Amino acid sequence: MRTLIILTLLAVLVMAATCYESHESMESHEYLNPFINRQRANDFIQGDTRLEAISQDRIRKRIKTHLERQREICEDYRPCENYAFQHGYAAAYRHYFGRRRTK
């Protein structure tokens, strides 16, 4: 019985020592709010603010590449899209639209 009480006290002491959270860990601002907003997250990255870079980025977003246009054409035609699932969009576009069929 005496050893059981000693072991229980020892277990409580070990648990108190390992589960104790110090005051220093609670002082951190990340403890209360670990997430930051987008503006603060992007503060350290400076974008290229030159007018030429901004206009190039806008042009790049507006103009689609040749492959992207082909993919959209293939997506609009159901048999081409089904073929693309098995063989890829480039092969499907070549298969259905690569050669112009004239009769």
Side-chain angles (χ1 to χ4, degrees):
M1 180 73 174
R2 186 175 186 174
T3 56
L4 183 62
I5 294 173
I6 292 173
L7 286 175
T8 306
L9 286 175
L10 185 61
V12 168
L13 287 174
V14 168
M15 186 180 68
T18 57
C19 296
Y20 174 73
E21 192 159 337
S22 67
H23 182 65
E24 287 85 22
S25 66
M26 290 185 187
E27 288 178 352
S28 175
H29 66 279
E30 289 104 10
Y31 179 74
L32 298 174
N33 188 9
F35 303 105
I36 58 177
N37 62 16
R38 291 181 186 179
Q39 288 78 21
R40 284 196 51 215
N42 292 327
D43 279 346
F44 65 96
I45 298 176
Q46 297 296 324
D48 196 0
T49 56
R50 294 178 300 175
L51 186 60
E52 181 182 336
I54 292 171
S55 63
Q56 287 292 329
D57 188 45
R58 287 183 183 156
I59 290 171
R60 202 175 306 117
K61 287 179 183 175
R62 202 173 338 144
I63 298 174
K64 294 181 181 176
T65 64
H66 181 66
L67 292 174
E68 190 173 358
R69 283 185 297 212
Q70 286 182 352
R71 182 179 179 138
E72 287 180 355
I73 291 170
C74 190
E75 285 176 346
D76 290 338
Y77 186 54
R78 191 69 168 162
C80 183
E81 187 177 16
N82 291 339
Y83 190 86
F85 287 139
Q86 294 175 351
H87 303 286
Y89 279 100
Y93 185 84
R94 279 193 310 271
H95 181 75
Y96 285 98
F97 304 106
R99 298 180 304 285
R100 298 288 179 191
R101 296 184 180 118
T102 57
K103 287 187 178 182

